[in-house]
Amino acid sequence: DFLFKGGRKMPKYENILVAVDGSEESRLALTKAIELAKDNHAQLIISHIIDTRTFATIEQYDRTIVSRAENYGQELLEKYEQEAKNAGVENITTVLDFGSPKSKLPKDIAQKYHVDLIVTGATGLNAVERVLIGSVSEAIARHAPCDVLIVRSE
């Protein structure tokens, strides 16, 4: 156990949420979240949010894009859930949702699952959005009701 100055124990995390999008950064976040879930005997919530804002115009031309994104997200979650099980995490929940990851993760999902730690990669897949309006990880850190761990690649 970690100790604070004065000998108090660091609180254990019970519900750890990790945001995944298939990027290398989110893979590193998953690895760290698995490690923390095992160390804390915590529930691990693995979440993939399909950012529907990017489909608004595309969907007019290609109706299959949303179902393809949903299939990709489901496959990603199943693969990561199996990886967490293989690593020894016992309590795993997967969440596939639609909307803005910037608000869905820190507001809806974190509250629904009583999350006390959110783990996220520093960047993720969407470089254009990061340049224009800031990264998802920054938004999560600003709006989260709990601790946030931003995992960076080396």
Side-chain angles (χ1 to χ4, degrees):
D1 279 341
F2 295 98
L3 296 178
F4 284 122
K5 203 172 183 177
R8 291 180 311 174
K9 279 188 178 180
M10 189 169 104
K12 282 192 168 275
Y13 294 112
E14 295 178 9
N15 300 296
I16 299 171
L17 169 63
V18 61
V20 295
D21 63 6
S23 67
E24 186 54 34
E25 296 265 348
S26 80
R27 182 144 224 354
L28 293 169
L30 175 72
T31 301
K32 179 62 78 175
I34 287 171
E35 188 181 303
L36 288 164
K38 281 179 16 187
D39 290 351
N40 288 274
H41 305 286
Q43 174 184 17
L44 179 63
I45 301 111
I46 307 170
S47 180
H48 177 72
I49 306 298
I50 297 170
D51 194 339
T52 50
R53 296 168 306 163
T54 58
F55 297 134
T57 54
I58 299 170
E59 201 179 8
Q60 295 171 5
Y61 306 103
D62 184 357
R63 296 242 177 248
T64 65
I65 192 95
V66 174
S67 65
R68 288 201 314 253
E70 197 170 358
N71 289 341
Y72 169 78
Q74 200 56 53
E75 287 171 14
L76 189 69
L77 289 174
E78 287 169 11
K79 179 176 122 183
Y80 288 167
E81 178 181 21
Q82 191 57 54
E83 196 172 308
K85 280 180 184 170
N86 293 346
V89 179
E90 294 173 17
N91 190 354
I92 305 164
T93 300
T94 60
V95 178
L96 179 67
D97 208 341
F98 295 86
S100 166
K102 290 182 175 190
S103 61
K104 276 280 180 190
L105 290 160
K107 295 176 183 169
D108 302 349
I109 295 170
Q111 289 175 8
K112 180 178 180 181
Y113 293 94
H114 308 287
V115 168
D116 44 23
L117 176 66
I118 300 174
V119 182
T120 182
T123 54
L125 290 176
N126 198 337
V128 173
E129 181 180 85
R130 195 169 62 247
V131 170
L132 294 176
I133 51 178
S135 75
V136 171
S137 59
E138 289 172 45
I140 289 170
R142 270 197 309 273
H143 301 293
C146 59
D147 290 350
V148 176
L149 174 61
I150 298 173
V151 178
R152 299 190 182 283
S153 60
E154 295 170 10

mmCIF file of all heavy atoms in Angstrom, residues 30 32 47 82 96 128 135:
data_model
loop_
_atom_site.group_PDB
_atom_site.id
_atom_site.type_symbol
_atom_site.label_atom_id
_atom_site.label_comp_id
_atom_site.label_asym_id
_atom_site.label_seq_id
_atom_site.Cartn_x
_atom_site.Cartn_y
_atom_site.Cartn_z
ATOM 1 N N LEU A 30 -5.210 1.166 -21.537
ATOM 2 C CA LEU A 30 -5.833 -0.109 -21.156
ATOM 3 C C LEU A 30 -4.870 -0.945 -20.311
ATOM 4 O O LEU A 30 -5.255 -1.489 -19.278
ATOM 5 C CB LEU A 30 -6.253 -0.892 -22.398
ATOM 6 C CG LEU A 30 -6.797 -2.298 -22.107
ATOM 7 C CD1 LEU A 30 -8.178 -2.220 -21.466
ATOM 8 C CD2 LEU A 30 -6.837 -3.135 -23.375
ATOM 9 N N LYS A 32 -2.411 0.041 -18.443
ATOM 10 C CA LYS A 32 -2.287 0.669 -17.122
ATOM 11 C C LYS A 32 -3.552 0.428 -16.294
ATOM 12 O O LYS A 32 -3.481 0.120 -15.108
ATOM 13 C CB LYS A 32 -2.030 2.175 -17.282
ATOM 14 C CG LYS A 32 -1.905 2.932 -15.990
ATOM 15 C CD LYS A 32 -0.748 2.473 -15.136
ATOM 16 C CE LYS A 32 0.563 3.020 -15.624
ATOM 17 N NZ LYS A 32 1.694 2.679 -14.727
ATOM 18 N N SER A 47 -14.615 1.315 -22.057
ATOM 19 C CA SER A 47 -15.622 2.033 -22.824
ATOM 20 C C SER A 47 -15.088 2.531 -24.166
ATOM 21 O O SER A 47 -13.969 3.032 -24.255
ATOM 22 C CB SER A 47 -16.133 3.226 -22.014
ATOM 23 O OG SER A 47 -17.110 3.920 -22.760
ATOM 24 N N GLN A 82 -11.266 -9.641 -23.207
ATOM 25 C CA GLN A 82 -10.559 -10.915 -23.119
ATOM 26 C C GLN A 82 -9.134 -10.713 -22.606
ATOM 27 O O GLN A 82 -8.632 -11.486 -21.792
ATOM 28 C CB GLN A 82 -10.544 -11.623 -24.477
ATOM 29 C CG GLN A 82 -10.076 -13.053 -24.405
ATOM 30 C CD GLN A 82 -10.899 -13.906 -23.437
ATOM 31 O OE1 GLN A 82 -12.117 -13.980 -23.534
ATOM 32 N NE2 GLN A 82 -10.243 -14.534 -22.477
ATOM 33 N N LEU A 96 -20.393 0.334 -24.879
ATOM 34 C CA LEU A 96 -20.345 0.928 -26.209
ATOM 35 C C LEU A 96 -21.459 1.964 -26.245
ATOM 36 O O LEU A 96 -22.618 1.647 -25.971
ATOM 37 C CB LEU A 96 -20.563 -0.141 -27.282
ATOM 38 C CG LEU A 96 -20.555 0.338 -28.731
ATOM 39 C CD1 LEU A 96 -19.165 0.824 -29.129
ATOM 40 C CD2 LEU A 96 -21.002 -0.776 -29.662
ATOM 41 N N VAL A 128 -7.139 15.851 -35.888
ATOM 42 C CA VAL A 128 -7.742 17.093 -36.371
ATOM 43 C C VAL A 128 -8.506 17.781 -35.241
ATOM 44 O O VAL A 128 -8.343 18.975 -34.986
ATOM 45 C CB VAL A 128 -8.682 16.829 -37.576
ATOM 46 C CG1 VAL A 128 -9.418 18.091 -37.963
ATOM 47 C CG2 VAL A 128 -7.887 16.281 -38.744
ATOM 48 N N SER A 135 -7.915 18.136 -26.854
ATOM 49 C CA SER A 135 -8.055 16.682 -26.836
ATOM 50 C C SER A 135 -9.167 16.199 -25.920
ATOM 51 O O SER A 135 -9.595 16.899 -25.005
ATOM 52 C CB SER A 135 -6.740 16.042 -26.417
ATOM 53 O OG SER A 135 -6.541 16.206 -25.040
#
